[in-house]
Amino acid sequence: MRAVLTWKETCAEKCVYDLAFKPDGSQLIVAAGLRVLVYDAADGNLIQPLKGHKDIVYCVAYAKDGKRFASGSADKSIIIWTSKLEGILKYIHNDSIQCVAYNPVTHQLASCSSGDFGLWSPEQKSVNKHKVSSKITCCGWTNDGQYLALGMMNGVVSIRNKNGEEKVKIERPGGSSSPIWSIAWNPSKDEHNDILAVADWGQKLSFYQLSGNQSNKGKTLTYDPCCVSYFSKGEYIVMGGSDRQASLYTKDGVLLGTIGEQNAWVSTCRVKPDSNFVVLGCQDGTIVCYQLIFSTVHGLYKDRYAYRENMTDVIVQHLITEQKARIKCHELVKKIAIYRNRLAIQLPEKIHIYELESDDTSDMHYRSKERIYRKFECNLLVVCSQHIIVCQEKRLQCLSFTGSKEKEWVMESLIRYIKVIGGPPAREGLLVGLKNGAILKIFVDNPLPITLLKLSASVRCLDMSASRNKLAVVDEQNTLLVYDINSKELLFQEPNANSVAWNTQCEDMLCFSGNGYLNIKASNFPVHQQKMKGFVVGYNGSKIFCLHVYSMSAVDVPQSAPMYQYLERKMFKEAYQIACLGVTDSDWRDLATEALEGLDFDTAKKAFIRIRDLRYLELINSIEERKKRGENDNELFLADVCAYQGKFHEAAKLYKHTGHESRALSMYTDLRMFDYAKEFVGATDPKSSRILMTKQADWAKSSKEPRAAAEMYLSAGEHLKAIDIIGEHGWADMLIDIARKLDKAEREPLAKCAFHFKRLKHHGYASETYSKMGDLKALVHLHVETRHWEEAFSLVEKHPQFKYDVFVPYAQWLAENDRFEEAQKAFHKAGRQNEAVKVLEQLTHNAVVENRFNDAGYYYWMLSMQCLDIVRENEEQRDEMLKKFERFQHLAELYHVYRSIQRYTDEPFSSHMPETLFNICRFLLNNLTKDVPPGISKVNTLYALAKQSQRLGAYKLARYSYEKLQELHIPSRFQESIELGSLTIRSKPFHDSEDLIEGMMCYRCSTHNPLLNNQGSVCINCRQPFIYSASSYEVLPLVQFYLEEGISDEEALSLIDLEAPHTNQNDAQLQDKDNGQLQALRIGDGLDDEEEDPFTAKMSFEQGGTNFVPVKVSRSVLRSMSRRDVLIKRWPRPLKWEYFRSLLPDVSITMCPTCFKMFHSEDYELLVLQHNCCPYCRRPIDEPN
């Protein structure tokens, strides 16, 4: 540290009591005599003396915002001045004013007198004053403006809040014998606690925290201190007093040096804000300004840089990793030296040697190794692995770490530069430059120095290349000289250099700095320059270590310029070595490209690997493979390289030159340069032109110009590709034009057109295209897919072979749309009987589950008819299907009749007459002798029968029904009604109505049958089955007869149609004729004995037999029958026709020609009018039979 005098002034008044800087540092306010003096802080010129006080001015203070300052005087007054040097306010205390201080935050002014202190702020009208027990000598606010410290004559420090209340009282050991003369708060923002420096006349400097605790032991002084002042950042303290000089201390009180000796006591001192300027005021009226210059104390070895901070600390910085280690020495650091794992620090009374804890290159932990307790006066300090080298002017001393002198060298001239250049431990070499221009090499273990060179000018800086073959010197004239050490030849020289460094990784590269530029020189190429402030001190790979003022930085310098210099001379391997030190990605690419063009594939490959360019690496790899296979045409390799680089015309020329025109053509087409390709091919080759056209179309397609691509494909005759593009984009007009122009033999393009029409839902165009192709199957499928059923059906009419293709999907479509009955018919039409049966079975099941018994009956009837269709198609299933037919017919009739019962029990009103319901219940119960089908309730049936029997007078039957109901589980809704019915029926006679019993007469044997028959719907006497009306379920006057063997249905029909004449029977009466065991039923005249009816004779049967004896008729009987009296059920194959003879021709009976159910004609006509179809099979009345 050096103190340089900046200016000095002496004021007429004898003593300078106080100083204050304006916060921007432009003005200095001085309290001297009766006046306040304002000086220019830069040059010390007096700007203006301010008058206002009547007695000596003791103190001045400037507000932090720079708008006003205050002065305090022995006349007990305070004057507030503006920055324009005008007095604006004055207030007084009871005693002379000793000190003033502005709050740095609120700009509140504290003014202290001998007996009290006051707090004033601009917004207040009055000054708040507080009494104190002792004279106040000094005061100061904390950085945050919350607390005010008062130093007193009795040795006490009182810390007050903004309201003047005492918060902390620091009573010091010396008491009133150690009056406090100056205090100052550390302004540093980095400190965790507010630190107060206290200087007292017990000759001590102490430090306290805001809490009142002492922060360190304090320092004993050799003089009475009058003033304490911190630097703006709080790192240093300036103090002056009775020793007639100002001294510089660290913030912890470590003495660093003297600033300037004076002729009188230094009564006040202040540091200019944010600068290194210090102003002192003395008792003899002298005002003096010094600039403090802090020299850089540092050392560098490769990427480790050690430097001094805050004068007492050493920071070791790793320039690559940016790690730092701090070593606190607590004394002034005078010199630093660093080498490998050693660090030497010279302090005022000793040298401290440290070593790294480990061999790790990134380790930053140093431990103490040795201490040499001696005071050294030296200019330069160097450390080696086992020695300390101390340089004092001409003398070099080599000391061991214990402090013993091992060797000494005395030079012929002053030593200007010294550097360790490496070597084995204890045998390191030193490079020494002298003022007379001599350059020497000294080995630590050799007493004789070796002269390397003798220059004419003084040496300023030295460095040796990595291989020790070249020496770079900067002389006093700022000239850089580079010599070959072995031959002593000057290799080159460069002007404007102040420092130089060789690259530690590359023999031929060095850098030097000067005139604000960094210069990089490789080999004997021209120098590359770039702007840079500071000095070059090291060069490692691509990093240049630069010292600017006090900071060392590692600058990343791309080695681009020297690399390009090597490239220009096609020195690819050397350029690669330079690039390895550090260049940008674009430089690597340039190196790789140049090497590739120069056919140095090895260098190019390594460079492309660096930038991870797989494309070029593949190219190099393929060229190397081809070389291994014996290819050695460098022109062809170069053509490939040019093509990869985008130099297509050069590549084409090279391809042509080497006889590979096809490669050039495929290159142009791959790149879509069709015009160049056509130019290259010329008009002579039509085949190549056509291929080009196709490739151009391919490109147009991929580059999203589909219309152009389609047109090009059509021109090239590539119809399929054109159709694909047009179809994809939905241009139906363009597509139909193509379809119409194509020949019908070109089936594949036409099929593609049709496919796209279908996809685009242009069914008309698709139909036209399929018709042109004659593809009927595809046409049928089109109509089916588009649900154009009418067109499909018309096609099937002309071409029945497609029946299956149409009706099956039609049936599926109907089923999907819940039109199951139509679907069943369609399956039937398509010949898919199994599907038809499945649909019907599902429909039947659903109808039963949902209690739609009418529908269930209808579906069972349809199922039975389906079984007949299956038998006709598949004779193998005959027996199974015929059994199913019988079962389904039976179930159809049961469900058909149960619908009426279900409606009666579940609905409030019934449309049936009681007689009809009565007949239906009896019919159902007669037929429910075996299992009861799902959905049919015996309870409901018996309940309905009981109710109707009671109503019609069949009391015996009603009682039977109620008794049967008691055996069954009765729903709660019928419980009450049934119990009531069971009771009321007991009041009725125990027999049935005669009329009802007569209604159950057998028309074959005239036997009266019971109302309920456990043998089923047959006569209990002759076993003849009853024929019921399908509406009222009354027994019809019909008897079924059978044909004798050998009579066919057709013959029987023709015989019946003959209608042979016979006598009219006016009155019919029944007669029993005893003919042995045979009981015959006769229809006689009654008046005269005429010829018997042959059929009546045939109805006779053997009495007492348990088996049913059918009525069989011969040809003669058939001939005697009238067509009006005969009803024929003409069942389809394989069933036989069934014949019935009406015994009461006057009773009109109608039979449905589809389901062959018999009705009373009046009932049938009424039902048909109601439903517009047969009530049983639902055949529409207008449908032809």
Side-chain angles (χ1 to χ4, degrees):
M1 184 272 295
R2 287 185 300 127
V4 179
L5 181 67
T6 306
W7 55 264
K8 184 175 181 180
E9 288 291 328
T10 306
C11 52
E13 290 79 358
K14 280 294 177 189
C15 182
V16 175
Y17 285 100
D18 202 4
L19 300 169
F21 273 100
K22 191 175 180 180
D24 64 2
S26 60
Q27 290 177 4
L28 178 69
I29 312 299
V30 179
L34 304 178
R35 294 183 299 171
V36 176
L37 306 176
V38 182
Y39 286 90
D40 186 327
D43 53 17
N45 290 332
L46 180 66
I47 295 172
Q48 188 177 334
L50 303 175
K51 293 177 183 178
H53 289 291
K54 295 170 184 172
D55 205 338
I56 295 168
V57 181
Y58 283 144
C59 51
V60 287
Y62 223 116
K64 192 83 170 176
D65 60 2
K67 291 180 179 177
R68 55 177 71 85
F69 61 92
S71 58
S73 164
D75 64 4
K76 307 176 185 176
S77 68
I78 302 286
I79 298 178
I80 311 293
W81 310 84
T82 67
S83 59
K84 294 178 180 175
L85 313 182
E86 297 165 348
I88 57 167
L89 184 80
K90 186 174 187 178
Y91 69 85
I92 59 172
H93 279 259
N94 296 327
D95 288 302
S96 62
I97 309 300
Q98 299 300 314
C99 54
V100 287
Y102 267 106
N103 187 311
V105 178
T106 64
H107 310 307
Q108 191 177 21
L109 178 67
S111 52
C112 307
S113 72
S114 300
D116 64 359
F117 69 95
L119 296 170
W120 172 84
S121 55
E123 61 272 7
Q124 287 178 329
K125 290 182 180 176
S126 60
V127 179
N128 298 324
K129 293 177 182 172
H130 304 270
K131 292 280 185 189
V132 287
S133 58
S134 178
K135 181 179 179 179
I136 301 171
T137 56
C138 49
C139 63
W141 290 93
T142 55
N143 296 329
D144 59 6
Q146 296 296 315
Y147 297 97
L148 173 70
L150 306 175
M152 302 193 187
M153 206 72 178
N154 62 0
V156 170
V157 177
S158 176
I159 297 177
R160 311 272 178 146
N161 64 14
K162 287 194 287 187
N163 301 323
E165 298 159 354
E166 187 172 71
K167 292 295 176 186
V168 179
K169 186 177 182 181
I170 303 170
E171 295 186 2
R172 305 180 63 238
S176 56
S177 63
S178 303
I180 292 165
W181 214 253
S182 185
I183 61 172
W185 292 97
N186 188 334
S188 170
K189 290 171 182 161
D190 300 330
E191 294 287 342
H192 296 300
N193 300 308
D194 288 302
I195 301 295
L196 179 68
V198 179
D200 64 48
W201 276 14
Q203 298 194 346
K204 202 162 186 189
L205 173 63
S206 309
F207 298 94
Y208 292 91
Q209 295 175 358
L210 185 59
S211 60
N213 297 326
Q214 197 164 351
S215 66
N216 62 32
K217 289 180 181 178
K219 301 291 175 185
T220 303
L221 308 173
T222 56
Y223 58 93
D224 293 328
C226 294
C227 53
V228 174
S229 180
Y230 273 97
F231 270 59
S232 298
K233 291 179 181 171
E235 66 268 51
Y236 303 118
I237 295 172
V238 179
M239 203 155 57
S242 62
D243 61 346
R244 303 187 178 195
Q245 64 183 20
S247 302
L248 184 71
Y249 295 83
T250 66
K251 63 182 179 181
D252 299 322
V254 177
L255 178 63
L256 298 175
T258 303
I259 292 174
E261 294 188 2
Q262 309 301 323
N263 298 324
W265 283 30
V266 176
S267 54
T268 179
C269 60
R270 287 284 182 272
V271 181
K272 186 176 175 182
D274 300 315
S275 75
N276 290 345
F277 289 92
V278 177
V279 177
L280 312 178
C282 304
Q283 282 189 341
D284 61 359
T286 304
I287 304 168
V288 59
C289 177
Y290 290 98
Q291 182 183 11
L292 303 190
I293 295 168
F294 296 95
S295 57
T296 306
V297 175
H298 62 123
L300 175 78
Y301 177 74
K302 290 194 176 173
D303 46 19
R304 284 176 191 266
Y305 175 58
Y307 61 94
R308 180 175 73 181
E309 188 176 80
N310 296 342
M311 308 296 279
T312 59
D313 293 353
V314 174
I315 307 286
V316 183
Q317 178 184 356
H318 197 293
L319 295 170
I320 307 299
T321 64
E322 295 296 326
Q323 287 176 287
K324 288 183 179 180
R326 180 184 292 271
I327 298 170
K328 292 192 174 187
C329 300
H330 304 293
E331 290 185 70
L332 176 65
V333 174
K334 298 183 81 173
K335 292 281 185 292
I336 299 172
I338 188 168
Y339 174 71
R340 289 189 182 160
N341 64 339
R342 297 280 189 265
L343 172 68
I345 301 171
Q346 185 191 4
L347 303 174
E349 304 292 333
K350 62 188 172 189
I351 293 176
H352 203 151
I353 297 147
Y354 295 87
E355 69 176 355
L356 279 172
E357 287 185 359
S358 72
D359 296 329
D360 184 5
T361 53
S362 61
D363 183 29
M364 297 298 288
H365 297 91
Y366 284 88
R367 64 183 171 208
S368 178
K369 181 170 176 61
E370 297 287 349
R371 284 186 176 91
I372 302 173
Y373 288 97
R374 271 175 60 189
K375 186 174 182 178
F376 291 96
E377 288 297 329
C378 65
N379 307 110
L380 300 166
L381 179 73
V382 174
V383 66
C384 298
S385 56
Q386 293 174 18
H387 297 89
I388 290 285
I389 312 295
V390 178
C391 166
Q392 176 60 28
E393 296 184 344
K394 295 181 182 181
R395 188 185 304 276
L396 269 183
Q397 284 184 341
C398 177
L399 308 174
S400 69
F401 285 167
T402 57
S404 59
K405 184 167 76 174
E406 293 189 356
K407 288 185 182 58
E408 181 174 288
W409 300 271
V410 179
M411 305 297 152
E412 59 195 25
S413 175
L414 289 174
I415 299 168
R416 291 291 302 273
Y417 192 87
I418 183 167
K419 183 176 187 176
V420 187
I421 54 170
R427 296 174 59 194
E428 287 90 354
L430 305 174
L431 202 57
V432 180
L434 306 182
K435 189 173 182 181
N436 66 0
I439 298 163
L440 303 100
K441 188 194 278 187
I442 295 174
F443 290 99
V444 171
D445 61 339
N446 189 341
L448 300 172
I450 303 162
T451 303
L452 297 177
L453 286 168
K454 187 77 169 69
L455 304 183
S456 56
S458 173
V459 174
R460 187 169 176 179
C461 183
L462 283 173
D463 199 17
M464 195 178 274
S465 68
S467 64
R468 315 279 174 88
N469 289 324
K470 293 177 185 175
L471 182 69
V473 186
V474 176
D475 65 15
E476 203 62 46
Q477 277 86 42
N478 290 348
T479 304
L480 167 67
L481 305 153
V482 177
Y483 290 91
D484 185 306
I485 290 176
N486 300 319
S487 65
K488 307 288 189 288
E489 178 193 350
L490 177 66
L491 299 177
F492 60 84
Q493 67 180 52
E494 295 285 345
N496 303 320
N498 55 25
S499 66
V500 66
W502 284 99
N503 195 318
T504 55
Q505 295 182 21
C506 184
E507 171 70 16
D508 285 341
M509 284 186 76
L510 61 77
C511 66
F512 60 94
S513 55
N515 280 8
Y517 282 94
L518 168 68
N519 304 272
I520 300 172
K521 186 169 177 72
S523 187
N524 54 355
F525 297 126
V527 169
H528 169 70
Q529 279 191 336
Q530 69 181 62
K531 284 193 174 183
M532 188 193 78
K533 290 180 180 176
F535 296 85
V536 165
V537 291
Y539 190 8
N540 185 2
S542 65
K543 289 192 183 291
I544 290 177
F545 304 127
C546 163
L547 178 68
H548 178 50
V549 192
Y550 306 122
S551 68
M552 174 71 76
S553 56
V555 182
D556 264 312
V557 182
Q559 307 299 310
S560 312
M563 185 197 80
Y564 284 113
Q565 289 169 333
Y566 281 115
L567 281 183
E568 281 171 20
R569 301 196 184 179
K570 306 290 181 194
M571 298 165 73
F572 300 120
K573 286 184 170 50
E574 291 83 350
Y576 177 75
Q577 286 174 352
I578 298 293
C580 287
L581 299 178
V583 292
T584 63
D585 278 358
S586 62
D587 296 334
W588 274 114
R589 186 169 292 283
D590 290 343
L591 167 61
T593 307
E594 291 281 339
L596 191 60
E597 288 176 3
L599 302 178
D600 183 346
F601 296 119
D602 187 45
T603 304
K605 186 176 186 176
K606 287 190 280 190
F608 279 125
I609 287 169
R610 285 276 187 159
I611 53 174
R612 293 180 170 82
D613 193 323
L614 297 176
R615 202 166 65 91
Y616 276 106
L617 286 171
E618 282 174 9
L619 171 67
I620 294 168
N621 202 39
S622 72
I623 290 173
E624 286 175 344
E625 289 292 324
R626 284 155 60 190
K627 278 181 140 184
K628 283 178 191 171
R629 291 198 297 268
E631 274 189 51
N632 54 7
D633 191 341
N634 282 343
E635 274 198 346
L636 182 56
F637 296 152
L638 195 56
D640 288 343
V641 170
C642 288
Y644 263 71
Q645 289 176 334
K647 301 172 182 174
F648 304 119
H649 301 317
E650 289 175 40
K653 284 175 188 170
L654 286 166
Y655 280 133
K656 196 165 189 177
H657 195 257
T658 55
H660 292 83
E661 288 91 346
S662 60
R663 285 199 182 192
L665 188 61
S666 62
M667 174 187 74
Y668 278 133
T669 53
D670 288 347
L671 294 164
R672 317 296 179 237
M673 297 180 170
F674 298 106
D675 294 338
Y676 290 123
K678 287 172 189 169
E679 212 176 280
F680 188 81
V681 169
T684 51
D685 189 354
K687 186 182 176 185
S688 295
S689 299
R690 190 166 179 179
I691 292 166
L692 273 177
M693 181 71 80
T694 304
K695 287 193 175 183
Q696 193 170 356
D698 289 341
W699 168 73
K701 179 184 175 184
S702 62
S703 60
K704 297 190 177 156
E705 292 185 18
R707 197 173 278 273
E711 285 165 1
M712 287 175 195
Y713 278 133
L714 288 172
S715 305
E718 295 273 3
H719 289 116
L720 287 173
K721 289 184 179 178
I723 288 164
D724 275 340
I725 293 172
I726 293 164
E728 274 171 35
H729 291 84
W731 300 324
D733 50 344
M734 206 168 170
L735 201 59
I736 192 64
D737 286 345
I738 295 170
R740 285 169 181 163
K741 285 174 187 171
L742 285 168
D743 188 78
K744 66 180 177 183
E746 294 181 83
R747 293 185 70 78
E748 195 180 351
L750 280 170
K752 274 257 169 112
C753 287
F755 166 76
H756 287 299
F757 284 135
K758 269 165 68 177
R759 195 175 56 78
L760 298 168
K761 298 196 168 40
H762 283 284
H763 305 121
Y765 287 160
S767 177
E768 182 185 330
T769 311
Y770 282 134
S771 300
K772 180 173 183 175
M773 291 165 65
D775 190 342
L776 291 176
K777 187 165 186 177
L779 192 55
V780 165
H781 284 305
L782 172 71
H783 290 321
V784 167
E785 280 174 33
T786 55
R787 308 282 187 259
H788 292 168
W789 301 115
E790 295 304 320
E791 289 92 329
F793 296 152
S794 64
L795 256 175
V796 168
E797 278 177 27
K798 294 175 192 168
H799 306 281
Q801 68 268 31
F802 299 120
K803 180 173 78 170
Y804 178 84
D805 295 314
V806 172
F807 282 110
V808 171
Y810 177 57
Q812 285 165 347
W813 175 74
L814 287 170
E816 284 165 17
N817 288 281
D818 296 341
R819 292 161 64 180
F820 296 106
E821 293 177 27
E822 293 173 65
Q824 188 272 334
K825 287 173 185 167
F827 277 128
H828 188 55
K829 274 188 185 175
R832 296 280 286 272
Q833 303 300 350
N834 287 341
E835 275 90 339
V837 168
K838 272 185 192 169
V839 171
L840 262 180
E841 282 177 346
Q842 190 60 49
L843 285 171
T844 310
H845 174 73
N846 292 351
V848 171
V849 169
E850 294 164 17
N851 292 344
R852 293 185 289 106
F853 299 112
N854 218 17
D855 290 342
Y858 170 61
Y859 294 143
Y860 270 124
W861 175 79
M862 285 184 78
L863 268 172
S864 67
M865 301 312 286
Q866 202 82 58
C867 291
L868 290 184
D869 292 338
I870 293 170
V871 170
R872 282 199 296 278
E873 287 177 13
N874 188 351
E875 196 64 33
E876 290 173 9
Q877 292 180 293
R878 177 189 174 97
D879 293 343
E880 184 194 343
M881 285 299 150
L882 287 177
K883 278 180 191 172
K884 277 192 175 184
F885 169 77
E886 294 293 340
R887 184 167 145 265
F888 290 152
Q889 282 276 321
H890 178 64
L891 286 171
E893 191 151 28
L894 292 187
Y895 281 114
H896 177 71
V897 299
Y898 183 68
R899 165 66 180 147
S900 302
I901 295 166
Q902 184 245 348
R903 282 188 66 184
Y904 170 74
T905 55
D906 292 0
E907 295 175 12
F909 304 106
S910 174
S911 59
H912 291 296
M913 297 291 287
E915 290 84 355
T916 306
L917 268 173
F918 179 70
N919 293 338
I920 284 171
C921 292
R922 287 187 306 108
F923 172 82
L924 190 57
L925 287 168
N926 285 340
N927 283 280
L928 284 180
T929 50
K930 292 179 184 175
D931 298 331
V932 180
I936 292 177
S937 167
K938 213 164 183 180
V939 171
N940 285 6
T941 310
L942 284 167
Y943 175 72
L945 180 60
K947 285 281 187 186
Q948 301 312 318
S949 300
Q950 205 168 346
R951 183 182 289 187
L952 294 171
Y955 301 123
K956 185 180 176 183
L957 182 58
R959 186 174 289 196
Y960 169 78
S961 301
Y962 280 125
E963 285 170 1
K964 279 286 182 187
L965 278 169
Q966 298 303 325
E967 298 170 10
L968 303 172
H969 176 73
I970 301 165
S972 55
R973 63 192 179 111
F974 294 150
Q975 194 82 41
E976 193 178 337
S977 177
I978 289 170
E979 286 173 2
L980 186 63
S982 300
L983 287 172
T984 54
I985 200 63
R986 294 180 190 279
S987 65
K988 302 294 180 187
F990 190 67
H991 61 77
D992 294 326
S993 167
E994 289 295 328
D995 295 341
L996 294 173
I997 295 169
E998 284 175 9
M1000 283 305 294
M1001 186 189 77
C1002 172
Y1003 283 95
R1004 178 174 178 181
C1005 68
S1006 302
T1007 305
H1008 288 289
N1009 278 262
L1011 294 176
L1012 274 184
N1013 184 358
N1014 57 8
Q1015 293 179 7
S1017 293
V1018 294
C1019 174
I1020 56 169
N1021 181 34
C1022 65
R1023 305 287 190 278
Q1024 180 73 33
F1026 293 119
I1027 312 299
Y1028 290 94
S1029 161
S1031 58
S1032 65
Y1033 281 84
E1034 292 173 3
V1035 177
L1036 293 173
L1038 295 175
V1039 175
Q1040 185 177 1
F1041 62 89
Y1042 298 85
L1043 304 179
E1044 284 184 352
E1045 292 291 327
I1047 304 172
S1048 67
D1049 290 327
E1050 289 76 13
E1051 187 186 348
L1053 198 58
S1054 62
L1055 289 169
I1056 292 166
D1057 285 341
L1058 287 176
E1059 285 200 48
H1062 54 272
T1063 55
N1064 187 25
Q1065 295 173 349
N1066 295 326
D1067 295 312
Q1069 67 175 19
L1070 292 171
Q1071 294 179 357
D1072 283 333
K1073 182 183 176 184
D1074 192 9
N1075 185 11
Q1077 288 184 332
L1078 190 71
Q1079 189 182 14
L1081 185 72
R1082 300 282 184 193
I1083 299 175
D1085 184 55
L1087 293 175
D1088 49 350
D1089 188 17
E1090 292 191 15
E1091 186 189 350
E1092 304 180 334
D1093 180 357
F1095 182 75
T1096 309
K1098 289 286 180 188
M1099 285 199 303
S1100 62
F1101 64 98
E1102 189 178 344
Q1103 185 66 39
T1106 54
N1107 293 328
F1108 168 58
V1109 179
V1111 177
K1112 287 201 173 184
V1113 296
S1114 62
R1115 287 184 178 84
S1116 60
V1117 175
L1118 286 171
R1119 211 176 288 121
S1120 70
M1121 287 185 191
S1122 166
R1123 184 72 186 85
R1124 289 187 303 277
D1125 300 341
V1126 177
L1127 291 169
I1128 306 169
K1129 290 187 180 180
R1130 304 187 190 198
W1131 291 108
R1133 280 189 318 103
L1135 294 181
K1136 292 181 178 179
W1137 288 7
E1138 292 181 357
Y1139 297 85
F1140 299 87
R1141 166 78 186 270
S1142 175
L1143 299 181
L1144 298 176
D1146 293 339
V1147 178
S1148 179
I1149 297 168
T1150 303
M1151 182 178 71
C1152 173
T1154 306
C1155 62
F1156 306 122
K1157 288 294 171 192
M1158 316 283 194
F1159 299 87
H1160 286 295
S1161 295
E1162 290 173 3
D1163 292 349
Y1164 184 71
E1165 285 165 12
L1166 182 64
L1167 288 166
V1168 164
L1169 282 172
Q1170 282 174 355
H1171 302 291
N1172 209 28
C1173 63
C1174 169
Y1176 192 85
C1177 67
R1178 303 185 185 178
R1179 181 186 76 92
I1181 53 168
D1182 53 357
E1183 188 180 284
N1185 187 15

